[in-house]
Amino acid sequence: QVQLVESGGGLVQPGGSLTLSCAASGTFSSINDMGWYRQAPRKQREWVARISSLGTTNYADSMKGRFTISRDSAKNTVYLQMNSLNPEDTAVYSCNAEISIRGSTYMYWGQGTQVTVSS
């Protein structure tokens, strides 16, 4: 059974920083793309960033320059470094990953971690 588990969420003041982690565990062949999404109260889920297995990154326009996605393939973990946070960044942040198992590819999601930006 494959699981994605996020950590690192919490309460941070405006202008502050936070780093989220998402670790994949279980039995699988490889992890392809990994990404982060977020969902604020009363809003639709929003894509944040993604990183390929080769390290190529893409960001939503509103995150560019403030957020940095990275991964440690040896640890099957993806990170999201968030800087210059503002109240509009308050949301549940979830990671996902395309995981290959015996020749097939599946999308897995974590349970989400709450990020609250408030003074």
Side-chain angles (χ1 to χ4, degrees):
Q1 185 74 7
V2 175
Q3 282 190 315
L4 297 182
V5 179
E6 298 103 334
S7 61
L11 175 64
V12 62
Q13 292 188 338
S17 299
L18 210 57
T19 299
L20 308 181
S21 301
C22 171
S25 62
T27 302
F28 46 85
S29 303
S30 62
I31 302 177
N32 305 318
D33 290 358
M34 303 184 82
W36 287 95
Y37 285 74
R38 70 182 186 183
Q39 187 165 19
R42 299 174 298 280
K43 291 188 176 180
Q44 289 189 333
R45 186 170 62 190
E46 175 185 26
W47 171 67
V48 174
R50 65 186 287 271
I51 183 168
S52 74
S53 58
L54 297 179
T56 301
T57 59
N58 297 95
Y59 298 91
D61 286 344
S62 62
M63 321 306 172
K64 286 180 182 177
R66 298 192 303 126
F67 291 7
T68 302
I69 189 171
S70 62
R71 65 191 286 173
D72 184 334
S73 296
K75 296 182 179 180
N76 297 320
T77 299
V78 62
Y79 305 95
L80 186 68
Q81 170 72 41
M82 304 183 292
N83 299 324
S84 302
L85 287 164
N86 57 66
E88 289 68 40
D89 295 315
T90 295
V92 174
Y93 286 71
S94 301
C95 66
N96 71 351
E98 296 176 351
I99 295 179
S100 295
I101 302 174
R102 291 193 293 270
S104 297
T105 300
Y106 305 89
M107 182 69 74
Y108 288 89
W109 289 84
Q111 81 288 350
T113 186
Q114 177 70 46
V115 172
T116 302
V117 184
S118 176
S119 55

